[in-house]
Structures are given as C-alpha cells and as structure tokens.
Amino acid sequence: MTFPADTLDLNRAMNHFAGHDRLWLFGYGSLIYKVDFPFLERRPARVRNWGRRFWQGSHDHRGTPEHPGRVATLVHSPGAVCEGMAYLITPGEFKHLDYREKNGYLRWVTDIHFTGDESCPGVVYVADEHNAAFLGPAPEREIAEHIARSAGPSGSNAEYLLQLAEALRALGEHDEHVFAIERYLRSLPDSAP
Ligand code: SIN
C-alpha cells in the first residue's frame, strides 16, 4: 500500500484529541528549530523506540518532485530514543502544521517523555515507507552528497541538516546519524548553505 506524497487530506480527516483544547506535539526535525506556530509551552522531550533518519524525500521544502531533497523522519527502532522538542499547542494549529508537513507525513500518536518520569500521549508527524516520497536508507556519505546537491522553495537541503545539527547541540544531545551526515557534508567542497 502506498499513499500519496501529499498527505494534507489524510491528516485533516484525523481526529485524535478531538474535544481536547490543548495537546503536546513532538518535533524532531525542522520543528525543533523552525517554530512558525504559536505554542503555550515548550519543553525538551523524547520519544522511545523511534530513530531519526534522513530517509524521507522532500518535494516541497528542500527539493522538488524531480529532484527531491532528503529530510528527517522517524523509523521504528526498538530500544532507540529520539530527542527533540515538545510543544503544547491548541488543535487549531493543525491547519498550518498539516500544510507544512503535507509531503508524506502523517500524524501519529505516541508517548512523549519529559524529564523525570513524566510522559503523556501526543502527536508526532511521521513519514513512513508507505508514502510516495519515501526514499529509504542509504549510506550516510551518500545522504550527505544528496543533501549537498539539493534545494527547494524553503532553501538549501544543507541548511536543514546543519540547522538541525546545531539545534541538537544546543539541546545537549548527540545523534550519531545526524552528526555523521554533518561531518561528511562539511568535508565536501562548496558545502556552505
Ligand atoms: C519534525 O520536525 O518533527 C517533522 C519533520 C520536519 O518537519 O522536519
């Protein structure tokens, strides 16, 4: 089963947290560093059994349908922990967020873990292998080369990767997949975004 690269209608039909006046959203990619939506509260957080991978194609932000970029998604990974940022939002923000994340991402519900033992179910945008823009795994050096030659309406693909790496460092987090791609990217000629 493959669903379309444009997931806007699928997400708009979702009704998790219907009736709630606020909910937590977990961001692990550009949602960590590009916060173009209002929120009530923001806290560093993590999700378990998910790994962050540059396996999703980007047709609308960091690439084009003809030359997709590579951006972050989450893949099921037992025992893994993905660090990111959680935002307490009102459901009204989905109008903007669904549009922003429409290139293959679907709203999933997962437990978001905060510092200490605190956790609660929240929403995360995941682009899994069933979406038409999914690119899948590749060696990190190849991912870096792909990123280095990609750009789209939101800017260069390199900028996405480098801003994410910076944001993770600012959170005090280490993600070896992201940092390995960053190292390869910085070693390429003309790698500046
Ligand atoms: C996210 O950041 O949580 C989703 C992927 C992205 O927008 O980069």
Side-chain angles (χ1 to χ4, degrees):
M1 178 203 75
T2 300
F3 55 82
D6 185 333
T7 48
L8 189 59
D9 289 341
L10 289 171
N11 277 321
R12 289 204 167 150
M14 290 190 184
N15 58 5
H16 316 301
F17 300 101
H20 290 223
D21 63 355
R22 55 189 58 193
L23 66 131
W24 285 97
L25 167 75
F26 179 76
Y28 57 89
S30 67
L31 287 174
I32 298 181
Y33 64 82
K34 185 179 177 190
V35 188
D36 58 358
F37 52 91
F39 58 88
L40 304 165
E41 191 185 334
R42 161 166 68 181
R43 288 202 237 164
R46 58 208 53 84
V47 290
R48 301 193 190 284
N49 302 314
W50 291 102
R52 178 176 18 233
R53 292 291 179 273
F54 273 76
W55 291 5
Q56 173 63 7
S58 177
H59 296 185
D60 62 347
H61 284 299
R62 303 293 177 161
T64 62
E66 296 75 29
H67 300 287
R70 267 194 182 258
V71 289
T73 186
L74 291 182
V75 298
H76 277 297
S77 191
V81 177
C82 176
E83 302 284 345
M85 186 64 81
Y87 304 88
L88 187 62
I89 60 168
T90 62
E93 302 317 326
F94 280 129
K95 188 167 193 283
H96 166 67
L97 289 164
D98 287 346
Y99 185 80
R100 171 174 163 170
E101 302 298 324
K102 69 184 184 331
N103 191 194
Y105 294 86
L106 289 177
R107 292 187 217 161
W108 284 57
V109 175
T110 194
D111 282 338
I112 301 176
H113 298 266
F114 302 97
T115 307
D117 285 341
E118 203 187 337
S119 69
C120 72
V123 166
V124 60
Y125 283 93
V126 176
D128 73 11
E129 69 276 20
H130 300 297
N131 84 87
F134 191 74
L135 293 175
E140 281 147 353
R141 178 186 290 277
E142 280 176 30
I143 292 179
E145 288 164 356
H146 185 141
I147 287 173
R149 62 176 181 265
S150 301
S154 296
S156 78
N157 204 171
E159 181 187 55
Y160 177 107
L161 183 284
L162 296 174
Q163 285 192 310
L164 177 57
E166 276 309 310
L168 290 174
R169 267 193 283 277
L171 285 171
E173 301 302 340
H174 185 92
D175 184 320
E176 187 46 34
H177 174 71
V178 175
F179 290 173
I181 298 169
E182 183 194 28
R183 282 194 299 276
Y184 285 126
L185 188 61
R186 289 193 189 280
S187 73
L188 295 171
D190 301 326
S191 66

